[in-house]
Amino acid sequence: MNILYSTQVTAVGGRDGWVGSIDGALKVNLSTPKALGGRGGAGSNPEQLFAAAYAACFLDALRAAAAELKIAVAEDANVTATVAIGPSQEDPKLALRVGLSVDLAGLDPDKAKALVAHADALSPYSRALREVVEVRIQLT
């Protein structure tokens, strides 16, 4: 692997602590959601952080795919990631389910489908998750 960028983030205190990047650019307080047995609170949680990262990465993959396929994408195109956590039907251990909602308003539906498929192939998050996490992508 030819590494173009690398970062480190440290977690302290688990789901009720904080996470911070080595360069100080990221520092987020964490709170366990009540649905997972926590107190809730103003802090974020790992699922929110993962959803934010995946949505941003997939939108960049869409823009790269658009450039490769010579398809114009509106400036306000957006991706919303939904991350769910819970036991699966087959296994009581916690698992993730991820959904991506892609808004390419005004784009021809066939071009939008081709663009999303190409972005899914380009996205390092999608490729990393493909065999482990159920990812559903829909156009809105």
Side-chain angles (χ1 to χ4, degrees):
M1 174 182 204
N2 180 20
I3 297 172
L4 300 176
Y5 174 75
S6 176
T7 189
Q8 290 180 319
V9 174
T10 299
V12 176
R15 287 182 167 270
D16 289 307
W18 59 271
V19 294
S21 61
I22 195 166
D23 63 2
L26 174 74
K27 183 162 185 190
V28 178
N29 291 321
L30 302 174
S31 299
T32 302
K34 289 182 181 181
L36 294 177
R39 293 176 275 142
S44 189
N45 60 64
E47 292 72 35
Q48 290 172 329
L49 297 172
F50 178 66
Y54 195 5
C57 184
F58 199 84
L59 184 55
D60 273 359
L62 276 168
R63 296 206 182 282
E68 287 182 17
L69 300 176
K70 297 182 179 21
I71 297 173
V73 174
E75 190 64 32
D76 63 349
N78 63 82
V79 175
T80 300
T82 302
V83 174
I85 186 169
S88 70
Q89 303 251 340
E90 304 81 35
D91 191 338
K93 293 188 288 277
L94 292 177
L96 295 176
R97 185 172 66 211
V98 178
L100 296 178
S101 179
V102 180
D103 182 356
L104 297 170
L107 192 59
D108 171 79
D110 289 334
K111 286 184 179 180
K113 287 178 187 173
L115 187 58
V116 166
H118 194 55
D120 191 41
L122 291 177
S123 168
Y125 281 69
S126 290
R127 291 193 326 270
L129 297 172
R130 194 159 280 120
E131 297 298 321
V132 181
V133 176
E134 177 185 350
V135 178
R136 298 178 184 169
I137 304 173
Q138 73 177 39
L139 284 164
T140 57

